[in-house]
Amino acid sequence: MPLLSIEFALCFLIFLPIYWSLHRSPRWQNRALLAASLLYLCTVHWAVALAVVWFALAIWQIAFKIQSSEHAKSRKMWLSGGIVLALANLGLFKYFDFFRPAFQAAFGDNVADWVMPLGISYYTFQAIAYLLAIYRRENVGMIRGDLLLHFSFFPTITSGPIIRAGSLKSIYGTQMGFTEQVQTTQPRQMVRPALALALIALGLAKKWWLSGMLAENWVNPVFENPLQYDALSAWAAVLGYTFQLFLDFSGYTDLVLGMAMLLGFRLPENFNMPLRAVNIRDFWERWHITLSTWIRDYIYIPLGGSRQGFVRTQVNVMLAMLLSGIWHGYGWNFLLWGALHGVAFVVVNSCERTLGKHYFQNRFGTWAAVGLTFLFVSVSFIIFRTHNLGETGQMFTALLGGGQQAHMAWSALGMIALMVAVVAAYPKMNALFQAAVLRLERLPYWTWSFILAAIMMILMAVAPSGIPGFIYANF
C-alpha cells in the first residue's frame, strides 16, 4: 500500500482520531503507532514485518550487552558484532542479485528469490547510529517496543529520512532525535498543523503533478529513445531528470514530514535548495541531508576526516563517496556515480587549497558556480536513469548532437529556460510558501478543509493519470 494512494489516505484519516484519543498517554500512542507501522509492513508482505521485528530485537539485545558490559574490550566486541550483523543483513538482502551467480554455482539453478525488506537501508543506518550512540554512552537508550517503532515508523520506513535516536547536526542546526520524542511523558500536540497540511499538499503537488508531468512529457520519452531527439531535447531531458528526482524525493519528504507533524513528531529536514549549490560539497550539505550527514559522522570522520593532512583527506572523501554510491545499489553505475562525486569533491578541495575558499566572490562567479554544479549533478545522474553502458553511450551521443537533427526543438529550449528560472526564483517561491502558511494559520480551522479540498481537486485535474511510484525506493 503506497503512501501516495487512496487506501493509505483513508487508513491515515481513520488512524488519526484513534491516535489522538490516547493523547493523555504517550505510551499508548507509541503502541498504537507501532501496531499501525507493523500492519503497514504486513500489507507489503508478512515476511517484511517479521524481518524488521527480528532485526530490532537483535539490535536491542546487542545494545543491552554494550550498556551492561563493564570492560571496554567487551563493549567494543559487542559493538563490532552489532555493526557486522547490521551490514551482513543489509548485504544479504540488498545485494542478493549480485551474489546470485555464486549461490547458483554452489546450490544449483533453483535458488529462490528473496523478498527484500522494505526500507532496509534506512533502518540499517539507524541501527548502526543507535549502537554507536549507546557505545558512546549517549542518553538514547530505548525499550524494545520503542526501538522497534524507531526502525518501523511508517512515515519513514519506505525511504527515510534517516532518523537518529540522538540529535542531528546539519545545515539546519541541531535537530531533535527520536528517543527524546518517543519517550516523552508529556501529552503530545500536533506540530503547527497548518504547516503540516501545507507540506502534505506541497508534497503531493511536487510528486504527483510536477514530477509525474516531467517524467511523462520529457524524461521518459527521451531516455527510452535518445537517438530520436536533437541535442537540445536531450539536454532538456537530462536536466529534467534532475528536477524529477528532486521533486519526487523532496515531495515525498514534505509528505512524511507533514504526516509526522500531525502525529506530534518532528523529523529532520532532508533538503535545503540543493539545486542552488555552488559546488559539490555544498550540494551534499543540501541534498538528502540525513544520508550525507550519516556518511560524514560514521564513515568520513572515523576514517580520519580532515585531521591527517590534505592527501589523506581526499582519500577519505573518495572512500566515503564510493560507499555512498554502493549504498544506492550494487550495479556498476552506482559505483561510478559515487566515484564521479568523489573526484568532484577532490577537485573542489584542490581549487580551494590553491585559489582560496572565496575565489568567486562576485555575483557572476557565484551563478557560474551554481550552473556548473547543477550541470555536473545532472550529467552524473544519467547513470542512475540508464541500465547499461550501451544506453549511457546513446544518451551522451544525443547530448553531443548525434541524434536526430531535423529541427530545433523550441519547446525544449523553453523547458530549459523554465528550469533555470525556477532555480533562480526558488528562494522567493519558498518565501511565498511560508507566507501562505502564515496566512492559513490566521484563518479559522473550519476553512482549512475547503482550501485543501480545492487544492486536491486542482491536482486531480492537472496531474498525470495513475499513482506514481517513488523513484528513490529503487536505490
Side-chain angles (χ1 to χ4, degrees):
M1 182 169 56
L3 265 63
L4 196 63
S5 66
I6 295 175
E7 294 84 358
F8 179 84
L10 290 174
C11 289
F12 187 71
L13 290 174
I14 292 171
F15 175 72
L16 268 183
I18 298 173
Y19 175 79
W20 284 111
S21 70
L22 306 170
H23 71 280
R24 294 184 180 179
S25 174
R27 178 57 53 201
W28 277 102
Q29 285 185 319
N30 293 344
R31 291 169 181 166
L33 279 173
L34 179 57
S37 297
L38 293 178
L39 284 172
Y40 175 71
L41 291 175
C42 285
T43 64
V44 179
H45 198 285
W46 64 266
V48 171
L50 186 62
V52 179
V53 170
W54 171 86
F55 182 77
L57 292 177
I59 295 298
W60 180 86
Q61 187 64 38
I62 292 171
F64 175 77
K65 292 293 186 181
I66 295 173
Q67 284 180 309
S68 59
S69 297
E70 297 181 358
H71 303 290
K73 187 176 180 180
S74 177
R75 296 177 69 247
K76 196 167 187 178
M77 180 192 71
W78 281 110
L79 172 66
S80 300
I83 293 175
V84 169
L85 173 67
L87 292 177
N89 183 64
L90 174 65
L92 185 62
F93 283 102
K94 186 163 185 172
Y95 305 102
F96 177 74
D97 286 342
F98 179 78
F99 295 108
R100 182 187 292 273
F103 285 129
Q104 289 176 333
F107 304 108
D109 293 335
N110 297 323
V111 176
D113 289 330
W114 288 31
V115 177
M116 187 173 75
L118 185 68
I120 187 171
S121 298
Y122 294 90
Y123 66 70
T124 297
F125 277 22
Q126 290 173 191
I128 293 173
Y130 179 70
L131 290 175
L132 282 165
I134 293 293
Y135 178 78
R136 295 165 182 167
R137 301 192 186 281
E138 298 176 15
N139 187 25
V140 297
M142 287 183 264
I143 62 175
R144 279 172 291 192
D146 289 348
L147 186 63
L148 178 55
L149 177 58
H150 178 44
F151 294 157
S152 64
F153 192 44
F154 69 83
T156 62
I157 184 67
T158 302
S159 293
I162 302 170
I163 49 178
R164 299 192 194 183
S167 59
L168 165 67
K169 292 182 179 179
S170 72
I171 195 171
Y172 282 101
T174 301
Q175 301 181 70
M176 188 184 302
F178 193 78
T179 298
E180 182 181 350
Q181 299 183 72
V182 79
Q183 292 187 342
T184 181
T185 57
Q186 298 297 318
R188 293 191 180 104
Q189 293 182 340
M190 289 187 182
V191 180
R192 293 191 65 187
L195 176 59
L197 293 172
L199 283 172
I200 291 173
L202 179 64
L204 290 172
K206 284 182 177 179
K207 176 163 177 49
W208 187 16
W209 172 34
L210 297 172
S211 177
M213 181 184 65
L214 276 171
E216 185 176 271
N217 296 302
W218 286 98
V219 178
N220 293 345
V222 176
F223 271 90
E224 288 169 5
N225 296 287
L227 297 182
Q228 300 301 312
Y229 292 88
D230 59 83
L232 209 57
S233 297
W235 279 107
V238 168
L239 300 180
Y241 181 61
T242 299
F243 264 87
Q244 182 194 354
L245 275 178
F246 169 68
L247 291 167
D248 185 271
F249 200 1
S250 67
Y252 172 89
T253 302
D254 291 338
L255 185 64
V256 299
L257 259 62
M259 287 194 299
M261 291 166 70
L262 292 179
L263 297 169
F265 284 80
R266 294 178 181 270
L267 299 183
E269 298 279 357
N270 220 16
F271 293 90
N272 184 3
M273 296 188 287
L275 301 185
R276 288 176 61 92
V278 296
N279 56 48
I280 198 63
R281 184 176 60 243
D282 189 32
F283 174 80
W284 275 104
E285 289 177 351
R286 298 166 177 268
W287 174 278
H288 204 344
I289 294 170
T290 56
L291 172 63
S292 59
T293 53
W294 195 97
I295 292 171
R296 177 199 67 195
D297 294 342
Y298 300 109
I299 296 178
Y300 174 68
I301 292 177
L303 285 172
S306 58
R307 302 187 302 273
Q308 300 176 356
F310 181 78
V311 174
R312 178 60 186 273
T313 298
Q314 309 319 305
V315 173
N316 294 340
V317 165
M318 281 297 303
L319 289 173
M321 294 313 300
L322 286 172
L323 288 171
S324 171
I326 295 172
W327 176 83
H328 285 83
Y330 64 84
W332 66 268
N333 51 331
F334 297 111
L335 184 63
L336 177 58
W337 179 79
L340 286 172
H341 279 250
V343 170
F345 259 98
V346 172
V347 170
V348 168
N349 292 339
S350 300
C351 287
E352 289 186 351
R353 180 181 174 88
T354 304
L355 304 174
K357 291 188 176 182
H358 305 290
Y359 55 89
F360 51 85
Q361 286 284 357
N362 57 67
R363 181 176 295 182
F364 174 79
T366 299
W367 277 110
V370 170
L372 286 173
T373 303
F374 182 37
L375 197 62
F376 169 80
V377 168
S378 298
V379 171
S380 67
F381 271 144
I382 292 175
I383 56 180
F384 261 41
R385 184 60 177 74
T386 52
H387 301 96
N388 53 60
L389 284 172
E391 291 184 9
T392 305
Q394 288 184 355
M395 198 67 214
F396 276 98
T397 298
L399 290 175
L400 296 174
Q404 295 289 337
Q405 298 294 317
H407 63 279
M408 177 178 285
W410 291 106
S411 56
L413 185 61
M415 178 56 67
I416 293 173
L418 178 60
M419 288 186 282
V420 171
V422 168
V423 171
Y426 195 84
K428 293 188 180 297
M429 296 166 65
N430 185 56
L432 286 173
F433 173 76
Q434 298 298 333
V437 171
L438 291 175
R439 181 67 62 88
L440 185 62
E441 287 177 329
R442 297 191 187 103
L443 295 176
Y445 288 165
W446 62 267
T447 63
W448 294 4
S449 58
F450 294 103
I451 296 172
L452 290 173
I455 292 173
M456 288 303 300
M457 290 182 66
I458 293 171
L459 286 177
M460 286 189 288
V462 299
S465 60
I467 301 298
F470 178 50
I471 300 175
Y472 236 79
N474 298 321
F475 304 139

